[in-house]
Amino acid sequence: MNASVTPSTVVPDADLYLPRMARILEILPMSAREKFLRLELPAPLGHRPGQFVMLSCLGIGEAPISISCGPRTDNILEVVIRDAGSLTHHIHGLKPGQYLGVRGPFGSGFDLEAWSGQHLLCVVGGLGLAPMRSLIQPVLANLESFSGFTLISGCRTPAEELYREEVRGWEQLAQGNSKVRVIRLVDRTDNQPWDGRVGLVTAPLHTLEMDPANTVVAMCGPPVMYKFVILELKARGLGDAQIHVDLERRMKCGVGKCGHCQINHVYCCQEGPVFRFDRIAHLAEALQ
Ligand SMILES: Cc1cc2nc3c(=O)[nH]c(=O)nc-3n(C[C@H](O)[C@H](O)[C@H](O)COP(=O)(O)OP(=O)(O)OC[C@H]3O[C@@H](n4cnc5c(N)ncnc54)[C@H](O)[C@@H]3O)c2cc1C
Ligand code: FES
């Protein structure tokens, strides 16, 4: 150790613990419970798809929130916030021009380079479209790197659908490009207008045309959805190492210090939130 540096004078990497202040450029309702926020950071975030940030408001608190935009070179960060409690409710009441604290990016994210040449199947449930969009955007911008792309996206009712216009744009792209497929589902229509399918995200998997040997799967949604989707994928011949799941756990520090996010001995904030399924399939608490 350098003689001038004793343990008591070691300053931790300020980026880990010190929020940067981000200005709200846009805050728009997406559904009854979710709002979309576009934030301007002091510098580019430099994230990978599937990573998360810790968002904070002074005097209220801090929470892990998925990054919802693909990697970008400007200072913009996009997130979707569900009104779930004290902090998220407070954020829903903020206006453009006000500020939020941002730490991160944290976590593993999706390893897009490792999937080059394969068919990417994304299975999404509800709010899972927020993190999955950070993957879909760069994939659609670099389709030549993949043999194909399929999105199966479900939510409970038409009123809960997120990124409506953008998903329809992806659907239009699919109409002119045989490498792209987009399947939208709701559990029930609740008598609202709906131009997609009705059913669970597992239903299309029975008959989906796919080459199991050349397919990689990314999933974002509730753990109960993962259990049933994984059963279907295995029935179609896919192995655990081809399946990637985004797991949410209670988090406090986001940097491997507090233990709040542990799945058995695995720290979700550092190794996750994206895991290749063979890494966690044997852990009893993984899909709870
Ligand atoms: C990696 C990761 C990414 C996330 N991404 C998003 C996102 O993109 N958008 C979004 O809206 N939310 C996301 N969440 C969930 C979000 O962090 C919680 O909803 C938030 O912490 C609630 O904070 P609060 O102060 O508003 O609510 P609190 O007052 O702390 O809690 C309100 C309710 O939410 C429950 N809760 C708290 N944390 C979680 C959690 N991690 N999972 C499930 N329930 C929880 C509490 O038990 C309580 O019932 C993510 C969580 C993780 C771990
Ligand atoms: S959130 Fe603190 S160790 Fe993971």
Side-chain angles (χ1 to χ4, degrees), residues 40-75:
E40 185 184 40
L41 294 153
L45 191 62
H47 67 281
R48 290 191 301 280
Q51 287 192 293
F52 68 95
V53 289
M54 299 295 293
L55 278 195
S56 58
C57 288
L58 273 180
I60 313 279
E62 187 179 48
I65 297 293
S66 307
I67 298 165
S68 190
C69 51
R72 33 199 308 162
T73 50
D74 60 15
N75 296 4

Side-chain angles (χ1 to χ4, degrees), residues 183-248:
I183 300 170
R184 290 182 290 113
L185 303 109
V186 289
D187 296 355
R188 53 179 202 277
T189 61
D190 276 1
N191 295 322
Q192 294 155 9
W194 176 245
D195 56 350
R197 300 190 195 179
V198 178
L200 301 176
V201 291
T202 43
L205 292 171
H206 298 302
T207 51
L208 193 74
E209 210 177 291
M210 67 161 106
D211 171 10
N214 190 40
T215 298
V216 62
V217 182
M219 275 193 274
C220 295
V224 64
M225 176 191 103
Y226 295 161
K227 282 186 193 166
F228 293 105
V229 171
I230 289 168
L231 281 176
E232 293 292 341
L233 293 172
K234 290 195 165 179
R236 296 293 309 268
L238 274 88
D240 288 348
Q242 291 167 277
I243 301 170
H244 302 76
V245 295
D246 185 2
L247 294 183
E248 290 192 3

